[in-house]
Amino acid sequence: MAADRHSLRARKEPRQARAELTRQRILTAAAHVFAEHGYAAGTTNRIAEHARISIGSLYQYYPNKDAILLELVTRHLAAGRLSLMAHQHGEQPESIEEIMRGVVRSVIGNHLDDPKLLQVMMEQTPRAPELTEKVTRYERERVAFTRDLLARHPEVRVTDVDVAAHLVVATVETVVHQLVAAPRAVDAGRLEDELVAMVTRYLTVP
């Protein structure tokens, strides 16, 4: 869904704690409303009502519900990036299987809070240039880390670590997004085990 970038910008950057608290209430309410009612029925009136503020107050911060959803997605991406960075900069296990398990577990963990909201974010988020730039930048960071890891690890048997890094990052992200947000989601523990096994076999079988 393409949209005018000006219509997706937050109108008010909170400078005081009270204003920031109001924005947090709007975002928390929106997450609940979108998950409970879906995006079409998740109107700004419903969001304002759930946040216990006036519709006028909501519009002081966001021009429409597209802008609110974009903010939720941006925060979701930032949380996922921080989680993966913490894993990447921590002490790594010796085996490639356990390294991949840490990556997969981190990605799954960032998607378990509300699968219904995740589905809304996947299907309804407007295509904003700022969001596309962030997604591209985060993906490059993950691919660069994975490429370096694969190039140095003695268990890895792939012939092209650059392509392999792209495949691993894209596979983990896509599979987790699709299956965690599915109407009948796969059990997180089973998903972790099978996804780790799939990626590890691809990387280690000659």
Side-chain angles (χ1 to χ4, degrees), residues 3 14-15 34 48 50 57 99 103 109 116 122 128 135 139 141 148-150 154 164-165 168 172 175 182 201 203:
R15 296 181 180 179
F34 290 152
H50 193 79
S57 294
I99 292 174
V103 171
K116 290 183 179 179
M122 287 175 55
V135 170
E139 183 178 348
E141 291 175 356
D148 182 61
L149 186 151
L150 299 182
V168 169
V172 171
V175 169
R201 287 168 189 163
L203 293 173

mmCIF file of all heavy atoms in Angstrom, residues 3 14-15 34 48 50 57 99 103 109 116 122 128 135 139 141 148-150 154 164-165 168 172 175 182 201 203:
data_model
loop_
_atom_site.group_PDB
_atom_site.id
_atom_site.type_symbol
_atom_site.label_atom_id
_atom_site.label_comp_id
_atom_site.label_asym_id
_atom_site.label_seq_id
_atom_site.Cartn_x
_atom_site.Cartn_y
_atom_site.Cartn_z
ATOM 1 N N ALA A 3 1.790 5.237 0.002
ATOM 2 C CA ALA A 3 1.161 6.364 0.676
ATOM 3 C C ALA A 3 2.071 7.575 0.614
ATOM 4 O O ALA A 3 3.291 7.457 0.507
ATOM 5 C CB ALA A 3 0.861 6.012 2.129
ATOM 6 N N PRO A 14 7.095 14.310 21.193
ATOM 7 C CA PRO A 14 6.962 14.662 22.612
ATOM 8 C C PRO A 14 8.257 15.225 23.187
ATOM 9 O O PRO A 14 9.324 14.660 23.000
ATOM 10 C CB PRO A 14 6.614 13.320 23.268
ATOM 11 C CG PRO A 14 6.067 12.487 22.163
ATOM 12 C CD PRO A 14 6.800 12.907 20.942
ATOM 13 N N ARG A 15 8.135 16.364 23.861
ATOM 14 C CA ARG A 15 9.289 16.970 24.509
ATOM 15 C C ARG A 15 9.209 16.870 26.025
ATOM 16 O O ARG A 15 10.167 17.165 26.717
ATOM 17 C CB ARG A 15 9.399 18.449 24.085
ATOM 18 C CG ARG A 15 9.661 18.622 22.590
ATOM 19 C CD ARG A 15 9.777 20.089 22.221
ATOM 20 N NE ARG A 15 10.023 20.262 20.789
ATOM 21 C CZ ARG A 15 10.145 21.442 20.187
ATOM 22 N NH1 ARG A 15 10.027 22.554 20.903
ATOM 23 N NH2 ARG A 15 10.365 21.517 18.893
ATOM 24 N N PHE A 34 -5.919 -2.988 16.792
ATOM 25 C CA PHE A 34 -5.620 -3.656 15.521
ATOM 26 C C PHE A 34 -5.662 -5.174 15.675
ATOM 27 O O PHE A 34 -6.149 -5.888 14.803
ATOM 28 C CB PHE A 34 -4.243 -3.228 15.005
ATOM 29 C CG PHE A 34 -4.171 -1.807 14.528
ATOM 30 C CD1 PHE A 34 -2.972 -1.092 14.590
ATOM 31 C CD2 PHE A 34 -5.284 -1.164 14.025
ATOM 32 C CE1 PHE A 34 -2.895 0.225 14.159
ATOM 33 C CE2 PHE A 34 -5.227 0.160 13.585
ATOM 34 C CZ PHE A 34 -4.023 0.851 13.654
ATOM 35 N N ALA A 48 -8.614 6.021 20.062
ATOM 36 C CA ALA A 48 -8.718 7.103 21.048
ATOM 37 C C ALA A 48 -9.553 6.679 22.247
ATOM 38 O O ALA A 48 -9.204 6.969 23.402
ATOM 39 C CB ALA A 48 -9.332 8.344 20.386
ATOM 40 N N HIS A 50 -9.996 3.614 23.373
ATOM 41 C CA HIS A 50 -9.247 2.651 24.173
ATOM 42 C C HIS A 50 -8.134 3.337 24.960
ATOM 43 O O HIS A 50 -7.811 2.922 26.082
ATOM 44 C CB HIS A 50 -8.661 1.564 23.266
ATOM 45 C CG HIS A 50 -8.143 0.387 24.011
ATOM 46 N ND1 HIS A 50 -8.952 -0.613 24.506
ATOM 47 C CD2 HIS A 50 -6.881 0.052 24.387
ATOM 48 C CE1 HIS A 50 -8.214 -1.520 25.132
ATOM 49 N NE2 HIS A 50 -6.950 -1.132 25.078
ATOM 50 N N SER A 57 -7.039 14.922 20.571
ATOM 51 C CA SER A 57 -5.704 14.710 21.151
ATOM 52 C C SER A 57 -4.905 13.708 20.328
ATOM 53 O O SER A 57 -3.702 13.873 20.119
ATOM 54 C CB SER A 57 -5.834 14.219 22.596
ATOM 55 O OG SER A 57 -6.389 15.209 23.419
ATOM 56 N N ILE A 99 24.902 -21.661 17.292
ATOM 57 C CA ILE A 99 24.914 -20.261 16.849
ATOM 58 C C ILE A 99 23.613 -19.941 16.111
ATOM 59 O O ILE A 99 22.968 -18.918 16.351
ATOM 60 C CB ILE A 99 26.128 -19.983 15.936
ATOM 61 C CG1 ILE A 99 27.425 -20.073 16.740
ATOM 62 C CG2 ILE A 99 26.007 -18.600 15.284
ATOM 63 C CD1 ILE A 99 28.680 -19.964 15.905
ATOM 64 N N VAL A 103 20.286 -17.321 16.876
ATOM 65 C CA VAL A 103 19.710 -16.382 15.910
ATOM 66 C C VAL A 103 18.218 -16.637 15.748
ATOM 67 O O VAL A 103 17.391 -15.718 15.818
ATOM 68 C CB VAL A 103 20.428 -16.503 14.544
ATOM 69 C CG1 VAL A 103 19.684 -15.697 13.486
ATOM 70 C CG2 VAL A 103 21.877 -16.043 14.657
ATOM 71 N N GLY A 109 11.503 -14.908 19.205
ATOM 72 C CA GLY A 109 11.120 -14.201 20.416
ATOM 73 C C GLY A 109 10.579 -12.808 20.152
ATOM 74 O O GLY A 109 9.711 -12.322 20.880
ATOM 75 N N LYS A 116 -1.514 -11.788 16.120
ATOM 76 C CA LYS A 116 -2.558 -11.100 15.342
ATOM 77 C C LYS A 116 -2.098 -9.715 14.913
ATOM 78 O O LYS A 116 -2.360 -9.281 13.781
ATOM 79 C CB LYS A 116 -3.845 -11.005 16.160
ATOM 80 C CG LYS A 116 -4.549 -12.332 16.359
ATOM 81 C CD LYS A 116 -5.853 -12.151 17.120
ATOM 82 C CE LYS A 116 -6.575 -13.483 17.292
ATOM 83 N NZ LYS A 116 -7.840 -13.332 18.052
ATOM 84 N N MET A 122 2.211 -7.127 8.841
ATOM 85 C CA MET A 122 2.709 -7.724 7.600
ATOM 86 C C MET A 122 1.841 -7.362 6.402
ATOM 87 O O MET A 122 2.344 -7.103 5.312
ATOM 88 C CB MET A 122 2.765 -9.253 7.736
ATOM 89 C CG MET A 122 3.869 -9.775 8.623
ATOM 90 S SD MET A 122 3.734 -11.568 8.827
ATOM 91 C CE MET A 122 3.737 -12.131 7.127
ATOM 92 N N ALA A 128 6.330 3.061 3.033
ATOM 93 C CA ALA A 128 6.929 4.380 3.232
ATOM 94 C C ALA A 128 8.428 4.301 2.963
ATOM 95 O O ALA A 128 9.077 3.341 3.374
ATOM 96 C CB ALA A 128 6.675 4.852 4.660
ATOM 97 N N VAL A 135 14.496 -1.118 6.772
ATOM 98 C CA VAL A 135 14.484 -2.558 6.535
ATOM 99 C C VAL A 135 15.727 -2.965 5.758
ATOM 100 O O VAL A 135 16.390 -3.965 6.084
ATOM 101 C CB VAL A 135 13.212 -2.975 5.780
ATOM 102 C CG1 VAL A 135 13.318 -4.429 5.320
ATOM 103 C CG2 VAL A 135 11.973 -2.798 6.657
ATOM 104 N N GLU A 139 18.776 -5.331 7.186
ATOM 105 C CA GLU A 139 19.088 -6.579 6.484
ATOM 106 C C GLU A 139 20.565 -6.628 6.108
ATOM 107 O O GLU A 139 21.218 -7.669 6.234
ATOM 108 C CB GLU A 139 18.222 -6.718 5.233
ATOM 109 C CG GLU A 139 18.457 -8.029 4.495
ATOM 110 C CD GLU A 139 17.551 -8.186 3.285
ATOM 111 O OE1 GLU A 139 16.596 -7.405 3.141
ATOM 112 O OE2 GLU A 139 17.810 -9.101 2.481
ATOM 113 N N GLU A 141 23.002 -5.258 7.686
ATOM 114 C CA GLU A 141 23.763 -5.520 8.909
ATOM 115 C C GLU A 141 23.753 -7.009 9.243
ATOM 116 O O GLU A 141 24.791 -7.587 9.589
ATOM 117 C CB GLU A 141 23.166 -4.727 10.078
ATOM 118 C CG GLU A 141 23.365 -3.231 9.982
ATOM 119 C CD GLU A 141 22.644 -2.489 11.098
ATOM 120 O OE1 GLU A 141 21.931 -3.155 11.895
ATOM 121 O OE2 GLU A 141 22.786 -1.255 11.193
ATOM 122 N N ASP A 148 30.390 -12.930 7.666
ATOM 123 C CA ASP A 148 31.661 -13.011 8.391
ATOM 124 C C ASP A 148 31.721 -14.271 9.243
ATOM 125 O O ASP A 148 32.747 -14.952 9.303
ATOM 126 C CB ASP A 148 31.816 -11.766 9.270
ATOM 127 C CG ASP A 148 33.143 -11.752 10.018
ATOM 128 O OD1 ASP A 148 34.192 -11.744 9.353
ATOM 129 O OD2 ASP A 148 33.116 -11.760 11.261
ATOM 130 N N LEU A 149 30.614 -14.598 9.877
ATOM 131 C CA LEU A 149 30.554 -15.790 10.722
ATOM 132 C C LEU A 149 30.772 -17.060 9.898
ATOM 133 O O LEU A 149 31.551 -17.949 10.278
ATOM 134 C CB LEU A 149 29.203 -15.835 11.435
ATOM 135 C CG LEU A 149 28.977 -16.915 12.480
ATOM 136 C CD1 LEU A 149 27.988 -16.421 13.525
ATOM 137 C CD2 LEU A 149 28.450 -18.207 11.869
ATOM 138 N N LEU A 150 30.068 -17.144 8.767
ATOM 139 C CA LEU A 150 30.186 -18.340 7.928
ATOM 140 C C LEU A 150 31.588 -18.486 7.346
ATOM 141 O O LEU A 150 32.099 -19.602 7.209
ATOM 142 C CB LEU A 150 29.165 -18.282 6.784
ATOM 143 C CG LEU A 150 27.688 -18.243 7.189
ATOM 144 C CD1 LEU A 150 26.796 -18.244 5.944
ATOM 145 C CD2 LEU A 150 27.327 -19.399 8.107
ATOM 146 N N PRO A 154 34.665 -23.305 11.011
ATOM 147 C CA PRO A 154 35.206 -24.517 10.379
ATOM 148 C C PRO A 154 34.157 -25.550 9.965
ATOM 149 O O PRO A 154 34.438 -26.409 9.123
ATOM 150 C CB PRO A 154 36.130 -25.096 11.470
ATOM 151 C CG PRO A 154 35.599 -24.538 12.759
ATOM 152 C CD PRO A 154 35.078 -23.183 12.420
ATOM 153 N N ALA A 164 25.085 -17.643 0.693
ATOM 154 C CA ALA A 164 24.590 -18.381 1.850
ATOM 155 C C ALA A 164 24.118 -17.433 2.947
ATOM 156 O O ALA A 164 23.089 -17.664 3.595
ATOM 157 C CB ALA A 164 25.676 -19.311 2.388
ATOM 158 N N ALA A 165 24.848 -16.354 3.180
ATOM 159 C CA ALA A 165 24.458 -15.383 4.205
ATOM 160 C C ALA A 165 23.105 -14.756 3.876
ATOM 161 O O ALA A 165 22.242 -14.619 4.750
ATOM 162 C CB ALA A 165 25.526 -14.298 4.333
ATOM 163 N N VAL A 168 20.342 -17.467 4.461
ATOM 164 C CA VAL A 168 20.052 -17.730 5.870
ATOM 165 C C VAL A 168 19.215 -16.610 6.466
ATOM 166 O O VAL A 168 18.194 -16.853 7.117
ATOM 167 C CB VAL A 168 21.359 -17.913 6.671
ATOM 168 C CG1 VAL A 168 21.078 -17.918 8.169
ATOM 169 C CG2 VAL A 168 22.041 -19.214 6.264
ATOM 170 N N VAL A 172 15.242 -17.310 7.571
ATOM 171 C CA VAL A 172 14.825 -17.218 8.970
ATOM 172 C C VAL A 172 13.740 -16.159 9.134
ATOM 173 O O VAL A 172 12.694 -16.400 9.743
ATOM 174 C CB VAL A 172 16.029 -16.910 9.885
ATOM 175 C CG1 VAL A 172 15.555 -16.601 11.304
ATOM 176 C CG2 VAL A 172 16.996 -18.086 9.893
ATOM 177 N N VAL A 175 10.346 -17.276 7.149
ATOM 178 C CA VAL A 175 9.663 -18.414 7.773
ATOM 179 C C VAL A 175 9.023 -18.007 9.097
ATOM 180 O O VAL A 175 7.858 -18.336 9.367
ATOM 181 C CB VAL A 175 10.639 -19.593 7.979
ATOM 182 C CG1 VAL A 175 10.007 -20.663 8.858
ATOM 183 C CG2 VAL A 175 11.039 -20.191 6.633
ATOM 184 N N ALA A 182 0.608 -16.852 11.184
ATOM 185 C CA ALA A 182 -0.430 -17.637 10.515
ATOM 186 C C ALA A 182 -1.631 -17.832 11.439
ATOM 187 O O ALA A 182 -1.482 -17.858 12.666
ATOM 188 C CB ALA A 182 0.131 -19.002 10.107
ATOM 189 N N ARG A 201 21.800 -27.988 8.407
ATOM 190 C CA ARG A 201 22.108 -28.992 7.382
ATOM 191 C C ARG A 201 22.551 -28.341 6.091
ATOM 192 O O ARG A 201 23.488 -28.793 5.427
ATOM 193 C CB ARG A 201 20.910 -29.877 7.154
ATOM 194 C CG ARG A 201 20.654 -30.865 8.302
ATOM 195 C CD ARG A 201 19.308 -31.531 8.187
ATOM 196 N NE ARG A 201 18.986 -32.311 9.396
ATOM 197 C CZ ARG A 201 17.784 -32.719 9.716
ATOM 198 N NH1 ARG A 201 16.742 -32.446 8.935
ATOM 199 N NH2 ARG A 201 17.595 -33.403 10.830
ATOM 200 N N LEU A 203 24.095 -25.537 5.774
ATOM 201 C CA LEU A 203 25.416 -24.947 5.931
ATOM 202 C C LEU A 203 26.532 -25.962 6.078
ATOM 203 O O LEU A 203 27.689 -25.679 5.735
ATOM 204 C CB LEU A 203 25.425 -24.016 7.153
ATOM 205 C CG LEU A 203 24.572 -22.749 7.056
ATOM 206 C CD1 LEU A 203 24.554 -22.016 8.397
ATOM 207 C CD2 LEU A 203 25.091 -21.814 5.966
#
